[in-house]
Amino acid sequence: MVTVTVGEPTHAVSDRLYGVFFEDINLGADGGLNANMVNNYSFDGVYLDHHSLRVQGSQRWRAQSDPLRFWQFEGVSAVSCGTQRPDEHGRPVSTDCPAPPVHSHSRYARLSVHGGHGIEPAPARVENLGYNGGGANAHACAMSIARGHGYEFSMVLRPVAGDCDIRVSVVDRYGLPLTDAATFRCDASASAATVSARDPQASVRREADDWHLLTASLQGRGTEYGKLRIDLIRRNGEPVVCDMDCVTLMDAEYWGKGDPKWRFGRLRRDLVEAIAALRPSFIRFPGGCIVEGVTPGNEYRWKDTVGALPARRQQYSMWGFRTPDGSSYAQSYQIGFYEYFCLCEDLNAKPLPTLFAGITCQSPYRDPRHIDIDSQYFRDVVVQDYLDLIDFANGDPETSRWARIRADMGHPEPFGLDMIGIGNENYGADYVAKYDAIARAIHAKDPSMLCVMSAGLFPFALPMRRSWEHARSVARVAAAIGDAAGAGEVASPRTGEDAGVENKPETIVAAVESATGDAIIVDEHSYHSPDWFIAQAHRFDDYPRCGAGVCFGEYSANGYFAGQPQRYATACQWRSALAEAAFLTGCERNSDVVRMTSYAPLLAHIPGKGWEQNLIEFNPAHVNPTVNYEVQRLFSANVGPMAYACSVSPEAPKRLFVSATGDQGARRYIKLVNVGDESVQVTLDVSSGLRTLGVLRRRMPTMRVETLHGRPQDKRSLEYTGPARGDIRHEVSEYRLSSTQVHVAIAVKPYSVTLVTVE
């Protein structure tokens, strides 16, 4: 019999311990969290030219502008128009345009339908399949329609020539209707070109430059995957020409419906609800490698993602090389930084934005490029982007241009940004110098802003050494400044010269009064084997408590660093979730130095994904929280503000891992993880906390035991159609303890995660 004793409180648990990390990978944004089901909705598609991957050096990664990709035209000729388009490096170049676009950043499609009088007109239609992930599904319908559900359609249209009816509906692969239809009249033959609605569920609003906003409510008539169909029906046999842009179709019950702040990008409700159930305390965004991009010009520029949707400059995704055709992955930015901040607010999660630090992706085979730290571009663009983001999130609209943009978008109040990540998976002397330059500028603007420093890609002591030595030097400087301030002395960052700081002392800046109480946070990542994660359950036991905290910002027991095959059949198995649970017990026990953790990747489209192991899978109709998600939920939704001593008797097998948290009252959350193939008989001793608090004299405590268990190879699987299949076992028992029952016997099942809640 093994005794697990829950003792006295040891330290406060970070109130940001469990968060989520959302990167636009695996079609996680467009095709996923983005509620708009229309692929390449604004005819602005720009994609990775995957053929360039064979080339080395500066030409290794190139952009490919393909504005009409994913649109099908029958009986219609289409050309792309706009005042600019991206070149092969993603930079905007000017182009001729026959009429003004909706916004100077946006392109549109000019559609032409020809034919003569007295001739039975051939069908003229435009179709969009949605986000099917490509590969074997490249020609499959991907818009999920359910009978009785409502759907919202919109687009902007400009009459150019002729007179026609435009009929909008969703049809199945055979062309049979899945929704009712909405009809508009587009008449350019009159003295003043007009568009009018022909149905009561449709409406039209005139915009600038003869553009008209068309909206309609469609009702589902069947349950199936369909495609959007826009029929152009000539009224008099004359040629018809019109311009089309910004086409949207989404389930009417999107996240935030009715809230005026959600007036631009909209989110898929079932995915948001799955994320919300994790109760994340923070959301890290937008990456991930997508932050740095793979070549100058491909980095994530947050300023391109705010404002009205047509104003947002689209960008190719570096993750295109992991799509089935190696290319078809664009970032439309319908979910941009404004939507990110709004989502954080809705989920009561703190934002942790991570921005480009002047170094492109340093992962192997990525040919990283370094922007000169002494260049005007580094000062005026890279550094300034951080300062302007702080203004966008927190600034006063009366005095700040970027805060005014936030207010105009629907959120005049500040978002409360208090931490920011400087670069992603960057490392080396140049990165440390760039981190200091950026952090110094940030703290000159906001001395309390918590900066997160990258430790690189690999979770091993040697490659992380430079970042950690520098971070601990920063923490020593911050401590010296704090001590001097407490003593009424004048403090200077030059104190770091005596602390062994490797860089010039004046570059060392730290947030002494930060969100977590740390001077600096270091971001470690790991994609290793289940065995590695089990072995790392005591990883943080000996980390110095010096004011430099840990963010374990990306992790997954997917075996990637161990060279294990990445196959869907073996991904997200229970054995990986168990290993992650064992690791998280160590994070809870050391939550005085481990400040934040977040699994990665968060979302994955079936089958449009590049990574096999992910937290939440989805197809167009269904969401699959994986077994790894169930472990995350058990931990993140059941953690107290205090860590408690949790000792295990010497005879305990090494396969058993434990942690305990709770409040200052009687509630305790005890987690027991058994990664072995045999049951462990445990006597749980909770006497210290209960007797000390005198709970037994007031009322009888209750105990709830929730257990997840299964075979190591068990998993939930999801296909392109239908709900998830397979599972682990989930058992819940509740007891009322007697007045003398402070030692409780529990059989901890093989391959299990058990949560014991006593209160």
Side-chain angles (χ1 to χ4, degrees):
M1 180 70 73
V2 174
T3 300
V4 174
T5 303
V6 179
E8 299 299 320
T10 56
H11 60 265
V13 174
S14 169
D15 61 1
R16 306 181 188 207
L17 185 58
Y18 295 114
V20 295
F21 163 48
F22 172 49
E23 180 177 12
D24 188 0
I25 187 173
N26 303 317
L27 271 68
D30 292 337
L33 197 59
N34 176 13
N36 185 11
M37 296 185 281
V38 179
N39 198 345
N40 188 17
Y41 85 110
S42 62
F43 305 98
D44 287 306
V46 56
Y47 306 93
L48 175 70
D49 179 2
H50 64 289
H51 299 293
S52 69
L53 297 180
R54 295 192 297 269
V55 182
Q56 301 298 315
S58 62
Q59 299 299 311
R60 177 172 169 79
W61 306 84
R62 294 200 297 265
Q64 181 182 60
S65 178
D66 190 357
L68 303 181
R69 189 177 293 190
F70 298 116
W71 288 93
Q72 300 170 353
F73 305 94
E74 181 181 353
V76 178
S77 63
V79 294
S80 172
C81 304
T83 57
Q84 59 182 233
R85 71 186 299 167
D87 65 10
E88 64 179 10
H89 297 293
R91 297 170 299 202
V93 295
S94 297
T95 59
D96 293 332
C97 185
V102 177
H103 188 277
S104 60
H105 294 171
S106 180
R107 299 187 69 81
Y108 59 89
R110 171 154 288 189
L111 309 179
S112 301
V113 183
H114 300 281
H117 290 287
I119 300 175
E120 182 68 26
R125 59 177 59 120
V126 180
E127 294 183 337
N128 191 286
L129 295 171
Y131 294 91
N132 54 32
N137 291 295
H139 302 291
C141 297
M143 297 182 176
S144 176
I145 303 297
R147 184 186 302 275
H149 276 231
Y151 299 88
E152 293 185 0
F153 168 83
S154 71
M155 69 176 175
V156 291
L157 191 78
R158 177 168 55 199
V160 178
D163 186 5
C164 72
D165 283 341
I166 294 179
R167 186 174 61 208
V168 177
S169 63
V170 180
V171 300
D172 68 11
R173 56 181 173 165
Y174 303 110
L176 300 176
L178 285 174
T179 68
D180 50 16
T183 305
F184 305 86
R185 184 176 179 182
C186 176
D187 186 3
S189 61
S191 57
T194 61
V195 179
S196 57
R198 303 287 300 277
D199 302 293
Q201 74 272 27
S203 64
V204 176
R205 187 181 74 207
R206 192 180 182 94
E207 306 285 308
D209 297 316
D210 289 328
W211 286 103
H212 296 73
L213 173 64
L214 284 60
T215 60
S217 298
L218 306 178
Q219 193 76 7
R221 296 168 55 179
T223 300
E224 182 60 271
Y225 290 174
K227 57 185 174 181
L228 177 65
R229 172 173 288 179
I230 303 173
D231 291 294
L232 287 78
I233 306 165
R234 288 177 294 143
R235 295 175 63 88
N236 55 24
E238 294 294 327
V240 168
V241 181
C242 61
D243 297 332
M244 182 183 296
D245 199 0
C246 300
V247 185
T248 72
L249 178 71
M250 64 189 70
D251 192 306
E253 293 304 316
Y254 54 82
W255 178 265
K257 183 178 179 65
D259 187 337
K261 76 181 180 187
W262 288 102
R263 63 185 66 175
F264 296 105
R266 273 72 178 271
L267 308 186
R268 179 172 158 177
R269 176 175 289 276
D270 56 357
L271 286 176
V272 175
E273 289 173 346
I275 297 170
L278 294 170
R279 299 184 190 174
S281 59
F282 70 91
I283 302 177
R284 182 172 175 256
F285 175 84
C289 294
I290 216 167
V291 166
E292 315 101 309
V294 288
T295 191
N298 185 230
E299 67 270 14
Y300 194 102
R301 293 290 308 281
W302 72 264
K303 293 174 180 176
D304 290 344
T305 78
V306 298
L309 294 182
R312 305 183 186 188
R313 294 181 187 268
Q314 299 198 17
Q315 176 66 278
Y316 74 89
S317 173
M318 58 162 288
W319 292 118
F321 79 96
R322 281 183 172 266
T323 59
D325 69 352
S327 176
S328 297
Y329 202 163
Q331 299 173 81
S332 75
Y333 295 141
Q334 291 172 81
I335 300 176
F337 257 76
Y338 175 79
E339 288 75 21
Y340 161 58
F341 283 130
C342 286
L343 179 62
C344 289
E345 183 176 76
D346 284 0
L347 300 189
N348 196 30
K350 284 293 186 179
L352 175 54
T354 303
L355 301 189
F356 180 57
I359 307 172
T360 60
C361 188
Q362 292 178 274
S363 296
Y365 314 114
R366 297 283 169 80
D367 194 23
R369 302 287 166 170
H370 295 245
I371 293 173
D372 183 357
I373 193 172
D374 295 320
S375 67
Q376 183 176 351
Y377 186 89
F378 182 80
R379 293 190 301 272
D380 295 349
V381 177
V382 175
V383 176
Q384 192 63 41
D385 277 356
Y386 287 83
L387 307 183
D388 290 342
L389 179 63
I390 295 171
D391 273 344
F392 179 76
N394 296 345
D396 182 352
E398 296 296 324
T399 58
S400 165
R401 169 199 171 199
W402 290 104
R404 215 160 30 246
I405 291 174
R406 179 195 77 230
D408 291 343
M409 293 183 74
H411 202 286
E413 303 82 8
F415 281 114
L417 176 67
D418 60 11
M419 57 183 174
I420 196 164
I422 299 177
N424 170 75
E425 291 183 353
N426 294 134
Y427 59 89
D430 183 49
Y431 168 68
V432 170
K434 286 182 164 73
Y435 171 87
D436 275 347
I438 295 168
R440 181 170 62 250
I442 289 172
H443 289 138
K445 184 178 186 65
D446 184 347
S448 66
M449 187 67 65
L450 176 63
C451 292
V452 178
M453 183 183 195
S454 168
L457 173 63
F458 299 104
F460 312 118
L462 185 60
M464 294 193 307
R465 179 185 298 170
R466 186 187 297 271
S467 289
W468 267 114
E469 287 181 349
H470 186 75
R472 286 167 180 151
S473 296
V474 169
R476 287 196 293 271
V477 171
I481 294 173
D483 290 345
E489 301 172 6
V490 177
S492 167
R494 291 184 177 273
T495 311
E497 194 165 11
D498 298 326
V501 179
E502 64 181 51
N503 288 7
K504 295 179 181 180
E506 60 266 27
T507 68
I508 305 302
V509 185
V512 180
E513 298 288 340
S514 76
T516 64
D518 299 281
I520 185 174
I521 296 287
V522 178
D523 186 16
E524 298 186 5
H525 294 177
S526 180
Y527 298 97
H528 218 301
S529 67
D531 288 343
W532 184 90
F533 273 92
I534 291 170
Q536 296 297 308
H538 296 280
R539 176 184 183 89
F540 304 109
D541 291 0
D542 298 323
Y543 270 46
R545 274 59 174 171
C546 63
V550 179
C551 170
F552 217 76
E554 296 184 32
Y555 72 90
S556 169
N558 61 12
Y560 186 74
F561 285 162
Q564 296 175 356
Q566 301 294 293
R567 296 191 298 263
Y568 186 63
T570 55
C572 292
Q573 291 184 329
W574 182 234
R575 67 188 186 100
S576 66
L578 268 178
E580 291 154 7
F583 176 75
L584 289 177
T585 62
C587 294
E588 285 197 354
R589 286 185 292 99
N590 292 284
S591 50
D592 55 336
V593 67
V594 181
R595 297 302 194 175
M596 293 177 277
T597 64
S598 50
Y599 189 99
L602 176 64
L603 299 175
H605 181 290
I606 300 294
K609 54 187 171 64
W611 287 85
E612 295 296 345
Q613 178 142 329
N614 306 279
L615 203 61
I616 302 170
E617 300 173 340
F618 60 89
N619 61 26
H622 300 280
V623 173
N624 173 33
T626 62
V627 295
N628 306 75
Y629 171 97
E630 296 302 337
V631 162
Q632 295 292 315
R633 180 199 59 78
L634 197 74
F635 273 76
S636 63
N638 299 280
V639 60
M642 298 295 297
Y644 280 78
C646 194
S647 60
V648 182
S649 56
E651 68 275 11
K654 292 184 179 180
R655 64 181 183 274
L656 182 67
F657 300 88
V658 299
S659 63
T661 64
D663 57 23
Q664 294 182 343
R667 182 175 295 144
R668 302 288 183 272
Y669 300 105
I670 304 111
K671 284 134 183 173
L672 304 102
V673 180
N674 181 5
V675 301
D677 59 359
E678 295 181 358
S679 179
V680 178
Q681 302 300 314
V682 169
T683 297
L684 184 60
D685 181 357
V686 292
S687 60
S688 175
L690 294 178
R691 284 178 177 156
T692 300
L693 295 167
V695 172
L696 297 182
R697 291 192 296 272
R698 296 198 302 271
R699 63 177 177 84
M700 301 298 182
T702 60
M703 183 175 75
R704 185 177 188 271
V705 180
E706 182 175 358
T707 301
L708 305 173
H709 65 105
R711 299 168 299 175
Q713 68 273 22
D714 285 347
K715 64 176 293 177
R716 289 180 187 151
S717 298
L718 188 68
E719 297 180 352
Y720 183 62
T721 59
R725 297 180 299 175
D727 210 345
I728 53 171
R729 279 158 283 184
H730 183 196
E731 299 174 1
V732 177
S733 301
E734 294 189 5
Y735 310 93
R736 185 165 297 280
L737 303 181
S738 69
S739 60
T740 58
Q741 193 176 6
V742 292
H743 295 78
V744 183
I746 298 175
V748 182
K749 296 179 181 294
Y751 304 122
S752 69
V753 180
T754 299
L755 166 69
V756 179
T757 305
V758 180
E759 56 182 335

